[in-house]
Amino acid sequence: LAEFFRRTYGPTGAFNAKPFEGSRSWAGARPEFRAIAYDSSGIAAHMGLLRRFIKIDGADLLVAELGLYGIRRDLEGLGISSSLRVVRPVLQELGVPFGFGTVRPALHKHVARLGRGGLLVVKSGIRVRSTLRDALLDKPPTRIDDALVVVLPVGRPTSDWPAGEMIDRNGAEL
């Protein structure tokens, strides 16, 4: 898996592949569940999830954070909707009201397509605070991103997602 992530994230910048050096198959928090797709060429796609409480403008909300998403470069364009459909029954079994994730603004068009089918909602204008992976004496312990927030309704409708301008992950990004 670590090699898969290095190859998947490396083309987007060496810094993005660095957290997967050695045999480490996660970048921040360890996933609770992994969906891994294989084909005759090896690992084709991966998605991890982690149940956690996030805070939205100070109010706690149980979610399953979706992250560590990757698809082999020769399969790009074929995978995220299939991956979400595969993990949806797992999310329902875990009893979470929402799946939650963040993506870079550069991926807005890619994930917005999924929102048109009602699978998820993409929200912008929300800041997300995360604990840094590694504690450094010369850096603050958290980072704030202006990422796009992806909300996947599972046990409750999207209309129940709390309004707010700041999400605190209460930990490292998955």
Side-chain angles (χ1 to χ4, degrees), residues 2-173:
E3 181 181 335
F4 168 77
F5 287 126
R6 283 192 303 272
R7 276 192 265 139
T8 301
Y9 294 153
T12 65
F15 179 78
N16 295 328
K18 187 175 171 65
F20 305 103
E21 288 177 351
S23 61
R24 191 174 183 190
S25 65
W26 69 93
R30 288 184 188 216
E32 178 178 349
F33 174 85
R34 295 175 184 264
I36 306 170
Y38 295 90
D39 65 11
S40 61
S41 298
I43 298 173
H46 177 279
M47 181 176 286
L49 69 85
L50 175 68
R51 279 180 292 189
R52 67 169 17 149
F53 282 93
I54 60 173
K55 286 188 182 285
I56 302 178
D57 285 354
D60 287 326
L61 178 67
L62 175 65
V63 298
E65 181 170 357
L66 304 171
L68 288 172
Y69 176 71
I71 188 159
R72 205 172 57 230
R73 295 192 65 78
D74 62 313
L75 300 173
E76 286 178 357
L78 302 175
I80 194 163
S81 61
S82 297
S83 298
L84 289 172
R85 285 184 181 89
V86 167
V87 300
R88 188 174 192 76
V90 174
L91 297 173
Q92 289 168 331
E93 187 176 308
L94 293 173
V96 295
F98 301 102
F100 154 80
T102 58
V103 296
R104 298 182 317 263
L107 295 175
H108 186 266
K109 288 183 181 177
H110 182 69
V111 295
R113 285 185 294 127
L114 298 171
R116 287 193 295 265
L119 186 60
L120 54 80
V121 173
V122 180
K123 297 180 173 282
S124 60
I126 301 172
R127 297 177 311 157
V128 181
R129 179 183 303 127
S130 306
T131 304
L132 295 177
R133 289 170 239 203
D134 302 308
L136 303 171
L137 295 175
D138 61 335
K139 303 266 190 239
T142 59
R143 175 185 83 224
I144 297 177
D145 294 313
D146 291 319
L148 297 172
V149 172
V150 176
V151 177
L152 177 68
V154 180
R156 291 174 35 198
T158 306
S159 59
D160 286 353
W161 180 266
E165 296 179 8
M166 172 63 84
I167 294 176
D168 190 334
R169 269 196 173 98
N170 290 319
E173 179 179 9

